[in-house]
Amino acid sequence: MMEERELVQWILAGNTNAFGHLVRQYEKLVFYVIRRLVTEQQDVEDICQEVFIKVYKNLSSFAFEAKLSTWIARIAYLTAVNYVKKSERHQTIPMSETLEFTDEEQDGPAQLLVQRDVSTYVNQLIEQLPLPYRTVLTLYHLNEFSCEEIEQITGMPEGTVKSYLFRARKQLKDKLTTYLKNER
Amino acid sequence: MKNEMSDEELQQLLDGASPSHRLPFISQPENDDVTTYQHLFTALKQSPPGSLSPNFSASVVNQIQLQQQRATNRRFYGVLSTLFLIGLALSVAWGGLLDFRSSQLVLQTLDQAKSWLFFGLGCLLIIQLLDHQLIKKRMRLLH
């Protein structure tokens, strides 16, 4: 925590090298959130950059009430959600809240041959999940935030976070069971 | 005895266990659900494909420095044009005190040329705006 304070003070004093250090420290966290929430992969790096520019501009308002990582993750989450909403409005596709996977037949034998790797298959399944599910899965498993921290980041109540986490994992498990059975 | 565990219980158990952790108290060793959940939890910890460019932090810092430079330039030109306008007003006022006719002549000339002055300023602003857009587009292409 002391190191974080020191780093923030250096940045606020105008040290851009210190900010470079902060970017390197948190770039994976931001990348994971943006990569999982934004489907247009060519925009991921631009959005990550936008997140860090927002972090730089708003750093003076960071009061150390939460961890710096939680605060940065919240900025990343809000930026991604804004982007998704904008792009969905542009494509006139409503933001899906349904729990079903899209009904593309991805479990055909040819597809299964390509999707040998479970991780690759799970990644493909995650991309089909609704945004709130993708969010909680990423923040919990990849970024290793607790449910309480996810509440601070997303504004969803802790109970909702837990419920989304359970339902998302259950859906993925059900799909994976079929996949693994077909593999044998 | 078959020890059936619900999905919720399995998830809670695996949340507290490392990915390779064996669950010894599950009496059914070939419990498919446990194996599938273990596969899933391991897969969920894997990074998504792709990564940021190696010089990402440098490009963020460059972008911030560029924005700061632009803000400094804007402030500098703002102060410069304010000083120029104040100087012009003062010199006209001072000239009016010394020689009323010549000062009136300056004001008349400015009045006659005002449409050209505004047109010129407008053109300058449009060129700046287009230039800004072009730089932005090139920067995006570079990334």
Side-chain angles (χ1 to χ4, degrees):
Chain A
M1 199 69 175
M2 186 58 203
E3 258 181 51
E4 271 183 4
R5 272 183 195 275
E6 234 170 276
L7 187 66
V8 170
Q9 277 165 3
W10 275 109
I11 297 165
L12 291 176
N15 187 334
T16 43
N17 284 337
F19 188 67
H21 180 74
L22 181 140
V23 174
R24 279 189 296 278
Q25 207 172 322
Y26 294 103
E27 65 181 18
K28 268 193 177 172
L29 181 152
V30 172
F31 173 72
Y32 290 159
V33 175
I34 303 297
R35 172 67 182 78
R36 277 277 171 81
L37 303 193
V38 174
T39 43
E40 289 82 6
Q41 293 316 306
Q42 69 275 15
D43 298 337
V44 168
E45 187 144 339
D46 281 347
I47 302 167
C48 288
Q49 196 171 67
E50 193 187 324
V51 169
F52 280 111
I53 289 171
K54 280 182 187 171
V55 166
Y56 185 81
K57 284 181 178 170
N58 295 294
L59 201 59
S60 56
S61 68
F62 176 62
F64 293 95
E65 284 161 356
K67 283 199 287 185
L68 187 59
S69 59
T70 314
W71 185 72
I72 293 173
R74 179 160 173 78
I75 294 176
Y77 167 74
L78 293 174
T79 309
V81 167
N82 272 346
Y83 182 87
V84 170
K85 277 183 184 167
K86 257 188 220 166
S87 75
E88 281 187 347
R89 207 180 303 141
H90 198 63
Q91 293 165 11
T92 62
I93 299 168
M95 193 150 80
S96 172
E97 284 291 338
T98 55
L99 310 183
E100 300 297 317
F101 287 103
T102 50
D103 205 18
E104 288 165 23
E105 196 47 69
Q106 296 222 339
D107 296 337
Q111 199 66 30
L112 284 175
L113 276 172
V114 180
Q115 296 167 349
R116 274 179 202 160
D117 183 13
V118 173
S119 296
T120 312
Y121 183 60
V122 170
N123 266 321
Q124 287 178 359
L125 290 177
I126 291 171
E127 281 177 18
Q128 296 174 43
L129 284 171
L131 189 73
Y133 286 15
R134 294 205 303 268
T135 307
V136 293
L137 280 177
T138 307
L139 292 173
Y140 189 84
H141 285 281
L142 264 179
N143 293 324
E144 296 180 338
F145 284 114
S146 67
C147 290
E148 199 185 332
E149 285 168 328
I150 298 174
E151 182 184 6
Q152 287 173 21
I153 293 165
T154 60
M156 298 175 197
E158 200 179 330
T160 311
V161 172
K162 284 180 179 164
S163 154
Y164 281 169
L165 201 56
F166 169 73
R167 278 141 77 181
R169 294 194 296 209
K170 172 84 170 63
Q171 281 191 15
L172 292 175
K173 183 221 110 191
D174 290 344
K175 276 272 173 182
L176 198 57
T177 304
T178 320
Y179 172 78
L180 292 172
K181 266 181 197 160
N182 287 336
E183 275 262 288
R184 279 172 204 154
Chain B
M1 193 186 104
K2 196 177 170 186
N3 190 358
E4 281 291 346
M5 293 183 87
S6 69
D7 281 280
E8 202 170 349
E9 286 170 320
L10 279 175
Q11 287 192 19
Q12 277 171 0
L13 267 171
L14 284 162
D15 260 339
S18 65
S20 58
H21 188 80
R22 297 231 170 248
L23 303 165
F25 46 88
I26 294 176
S27 59
Q28 195 183 2
E30 295 301 315
N31 192 323
D32 283 347
D33 279 353
V34 179
T35 316
T36 314
Y37 267 126
Q38 278 177 330
H39 275 304
L40 178 65
F41 274 59
T42 310
L44 285 171
K45 286 221 170 283
Q46 305 289 313
S47 313
S51 64
L52 293 169
S53 57
N55 58 348
F56 176 74
S57 64
S59 87
V60 173
V61 171
N62 280 346
Q63 187 68 29
I64 285 166
Q65 282 171 337
L66 209 74
Q67 284 188 5
Q68 283 176 334
Q69 186 63 47
R70 249 185 257 146
T72 313
N73 283 352
R74 260 201 305 272
R75 230 172 293 138
F76 173 73
Y77 287 120
V79 169
L80 202 72
S81 41
T82 311
L83 285 176
F84 174 74
L85 285 172
I86 292 171
L88 191 75
L90 281 176
S91 59
V92 168
W94 183 247
L97 286 176
L98 294 177
D99 183 1
F100 183 71
R101 251 191 217 168
S102 62
S103 125
Q104 250 196 340
L105 198 71
V106 171
L107 284 175
Q108 269 174 358
T109 317
L110 279 174
D111 190 47
Q112 279 164 4
K114 70 180 176 208
S115 49
W116 286 107
L117 277 172
F118 282 125
F119 179 72
L121 271 172
C123 284
L124 211 68
L125 277 173
I126 289 168
I127 290 167
Q128 284 290 318
L129 209 75
L130 290 174
D131 192 38
H132 181 70
Q133 297 283 337
L134 195 75
I135 290 170
K136 250 186 168 179
K137 207 182 263 181
R138 277 191 186 167
M139 289 284 276
R140 206 167 286 169
L141 280 174
L142 275 174
H143 290 304

